[in-house]
Amino acid sequence: MGDCMRQIPTGIDGLDKMLNGGLPAGRSILLIGNPGSGKTILSFQFLCYGAIHDEPGLYVSLDEDIKLLKEELVGFNWNINKLEETRKLALIDASPVRHIPGEVKIGDYRIGKRDFSLFSLIEIIRNHAEKINAKRIVIDPLASLILQYEDAAERRNATLDLLEALAKLGTTNIITTELKALTLQREVLVEEFLSHGVIVLHSWRSQFLAHGGIQIEKMRGIAHDNQIRPYKITSRGIEVFAEEEPLVDVDKTAFVPQRSP
Ligand SMILES: Nc1ncnc2c1ncn2[C@@H]1O[C@H](COP(=O)(O)OP(=O)(O)OP(=O)(O)O)[C@@H](O)[C@H]1O
Ligand SMILES: [Mg+2]
C-alpha cells in the first residue's frame, strides 16, 4: 500500500499507538465484543474526541434509549449535552426501525419490512449526518438490525448496502457488534468480512473492573500491532496499554480465564 492513506486518531492513546496513528479515514471499522466489554464507551471516546477536534460525530443507537444511555455515560465527563448543543455531536435513537410492522408501500412499490427498515435507517443516518456535517459515525450495535435476516446472503447484502451508503458519506465509521461467538460460529458474523477493519475486545470480569485485551484483527493498508494488548475501563473511559506485554492468544470460542490479580 502507498503511504498516502489518511489516518484519524480515535483519541484513545494506546489504541492510536497500536494503529500507528489512527483509523483509516473514510472507512468503516467493525468493533466486536461481548456485552459489557466497552464497545459503547470506546465509540463515545471516538466521537467526543472528534467533536472537540472539529470533526462532528453522529451516534446511531439501534438498541438503547438515548436517555438511558446518557445516564450510563454521565460519569465520564464528556460533556455530551454541551457537544450536542453546539452541534458537534448528535445522538439518534434508530431502534424503532426494527419495529416497523409488515409491509410498507412507497409509491407503486411494496417493500418488505426488512428492506424498509434498512432503507429508513440509511435515510435517517444521511439526514442527520448532513445536519451536523458529520465526519465520524457510530452505529451501535449492528447485530440487532442484521440478525433479522435469517439468510446469510441477505445479511451480506444488507450489510453491503449499509456500508456502501456510509462510504458515500465519506465519514469514518465504527460499527459495533456483539461477540456471540460463545454460541455462534464466528463465520456467522459476515459483516466482518465486508468491513475495512476489525477490532476485537476480548473481555472478562474481575471483581471490580471490566477489563481484557484489545486486538486489531485486520486493518487494510495500515501496519498495525496485531497482538492482544491489555485494556481497562476507568472513569476516563477505555485505556489501552500498548506497551505492555501482549496477552497470550485467547480461544475466541471460549470464555477467557480471569487474569490473576
Ligand atoms: N467508571 C467506570 N469505571 C470502570 N468501569 C466502568 C465504569 N463505567 C462503566 N464501566 C464498565 O463498562 C462496561 C460497560 O461498557 P459499555 O457499555 O461500553 O459495554 P458494551 O460493550 O457497549 O456493552 P453492551 O453490549 O451491553 O452494549 C461495564 O462492564 C462497566 O463495568
Ligand atoms: Mg453498548
Side-chain angles (χ1 to χ4, degrees):
M1 286 298 284
D3 54 356
C4 52
M5 168 135 19
R6 194 166 72 86
Q7 287 177 253
I8 66 165
T10 62
I12 300 165
D13 288 344
L15 180 57
D16 289 333
K17 230 168 246 154
M18 290 177 73
L19 285 162
N20 245 316
L23 296 176
R27 312 290 182 170
S28 291
I29 305 307
L30 194 69
L31 176 63
I32 306 180
N34 285 326
S37 59
K39 300 182 294 297
T40 301
I41 292 172
L42 191 154
S43 298
F44 269 89
Q45 279 172 280
F46 168 72
L47 291 176
C48 292
Y49 181 88
I52 58 175
H53 289 88
D54 227 24
E55 294 200 338
L58 174 64
Y59 176 83
V60 182
S61 172
L62 282 178
D63 213 29
E64 223 178 342
D65 184 80
I66 297 293
K67 199 163 156 264
L68 296 179
L69 180 73
K70 279 184 176 174
E71 279 168 22
E72 285 164 27
L73 297 176
V74 83
F76 289 103
N77 286 323
W78 290 327
N79 292 318
I80 288 175
N81 290 329
K82 184 84 192 294
L83 293 172
E84 272 186 305
E85 279 163 29
T86 52
R87 293 163 82 86
K88 297 293 180 202
L89 187 66
L91 279 60
I92 58 173
D93 181 358
S95 57
V97 298
R98 292 190 290 126
H99 307 303
I100 294 162
E103 254 181 1
V104 181
K105 208 166 170 238
I106 297 179
D108 291 334
Y109 296 96
R110 229 171 246 293
I111 56 177
K113 169 188 163 169
R114 294 175 193 150
D115 295 322
F116 181 74
S117 56
L118 184 70
F119 176 79
S120 49
L121 176 68
I122 290 173
E123 277 310 301
I124 290 169
I125 292 173
R126 191 179 296 145
N127 283 338
H128 284 83
E130 279 169 9
K131 256 188 224 159
I132 61 165
N133 191 21
K135 300 283 186 248
R136 301 179 177 211
I137 296 178
V138 169
I139 299 176
D140 182 31
L142 182 65
S144 36
L145 183 85
I146 287 305
L147 289 178
Q148 59 182 325
Y149 300 90
E150 277 150 37
D151 180 59
E154 272 188 285
R155 273 201 302 270
R156 195 185 154 89
N157 283 337
T159 310
L160 269 178
D161 285 349
L162 182 64
L163 290 176
E164 225 171 78
L166 290 171
K168 279 193 194 133
L169 292 173
T171 50
T172 307
N173 318 300
I174 291 180
I175 297 169
T176 78
T177 197
E178 258 175 42
L179 180 59
K180 293 221 177 76
L182 305 177
T183 53
L184 208 70
Q185 284 296 306
R186 205 46 204 290
E187 282 69 22
V188 177
L189 294 168
V190 287
E191 307 105 275
E192 78 176 84
F193 301 110
L194 305 173
S195 65
H196 196 87
V198 177
I199 298 177
V200 183
L201 295 170
H202 305 277
S203 71
W204 60 97
R205 275 171 180 278
S206 72
Q207 214 176 340
F208 303 108
L209 282 179
H211 58 186
I214 186 167
Q215 182 178 28
I216 300 160
E217 264 198 9
K218 129 180 171 189
M219 200 62 64
R220 289 189 204 142
I222 288 177
H224 60 84
D225 183 350
N226 49 25
Q227 304 283 350
I228 304 176
R229 303 289 173 180
Y231 75 88
K232 71 177 183 194
I233 304 176
T234 72
S235 57
R236 289 189 306 276
I238 285 192
E239 210 169 327
V240 173
F241 303 94
E243 323 269 302
E244 265 186 35
E245 283 294 299
L247 302 171
V248 286
D249 202 1
V250 288
D251 178 355
K252 294 181 185 85
T253 61
F255 279 108
V256 180
Q258 192 169 318
R259 233 179 351 169
S260 48

